[in-house]
Amino acid sequence: MSNSDTILDLAAQVGKALQQKGLILATAESCTGGGVAQAITEIAGSTAWFDCGFVTYSNASKTEMLDVSAALIAQMGSVSEEVAGAMASGALGSSNAHLAVSTTGIAGPTGAVPGKPVGTVCFGWANADTVHTERLVFSGDRRAVREQTVIHALQGLLRFIN
């Protein structure tokens, strides 16, 4: 199965799980540039379970659109579990969604900093009660890192919903 087939299959599973529980999703994306939202909206009927997506590529947009503290970004860096969690929480607060997923990372080929190599991605999944975060390092070129990030974000959503 190709990555694009995997992504569509996962998006359909996410939609089914959300619909079964009567939940609405929002996305907050940086390194994926809307890739998670794009996968979600490939699924017919996603209007029933997808509210909106935020593409907050700059630090300023993370602060302005998702209410992520500029001090948190300055202290932890935009690619951190703390910022990923704040992005997911901010997406909830700025939407009509019940849960949110966020991605922030270094897709490459440049942008690495000490302790955060190219391929470092942080994720957040949030609902009204819980925020779960993860940090992974993917290998491959920019496209491969972004595809792996979308796949992992959707897989994490399935775990978070169920």
Side-chain angles (χ1 to χ4, degrees), residues 40-161:
I40 293 292
T41 58
E42 282 287 328
I43 307 305
S46 56
T47 301
W49 43 269
F50 182 65
D51 183 44
C52 62
F54 299 89
V55 179
T56 54
Y57 212 67
S58 70
N59 289 343
S61 67
K62 288 173 181 66
T63 299
E64 292 163 11
M65 296 172 70
L66 300 174
D67 205 28
V68 177
S69 160
L72 179 69
I73 294 171
Q75 180 184 1
M76 305 308 297
S78 60
V79 179
S80 63
E81 288 187 62
E82 292 82 357
V83 168
M87 287 172 65
S89 295
L92 285 181
S94 297
S95 71
N96 296 308
H98 302 106
L99 70 157
V101 59
S102 67
T103 61
T104 181
I106 306 166
T110 61
V113 296
K116 295 178 186 177
V118 168
T120 301
V121 180
C122 296
F123 299 85
W125 296 273
N127 61 26
D129 304 317
T130 308
V131 178
H132 177 75
T133 62
E134 287 182 17
R135 175 186 156 154
L136 296 175
V137 179
F138 296 114
S139 59
D141 63 11
R142 182 176 181 82
R143 180 177 178 177
V145 168
R146 287 164 52 113
E147 284 182 344
Q148 292 170 84
T149 300
V150 171
I151 289 169
H152 189 76
L154 293 169
Q155 289 170 333
L157 266 173
L158 282 173
R159 287 190 299 271
F160 198 73
I161 295 163

Side-chain angles (χ1 to χ4, degrees), residues 3-66:
N3 274 351
S4 57
D5 289 341
T6 299
I7 288 168
L8 284 178
D9 182 58
L10 286 167
Q13 290 178 52
V14 165
K16 186 176 180 183
L18 289 167
Q19 205 158 16
Q20 285 174 344
K21 296 195 185 286
L23 299 174
I24 307 289
L25 174 68
T27 60
E29 302 179 69
S30 185
C31 64
T32 45
V36 177
Q38 194 271 335
I40 293 292
T41 58
E42 282 287 328
I43 307 305
S46 56
T47 301
W49 43 269
F50 182 65
D51 183 44
C52 62
F54 299 89
V55 179
T56 54
Y57 212 67
S58 70
N59 289 343
S61 67
K62 288 173 181 66
T63 299
E64 292 163 11
M65 296 172 70
L66 300 174

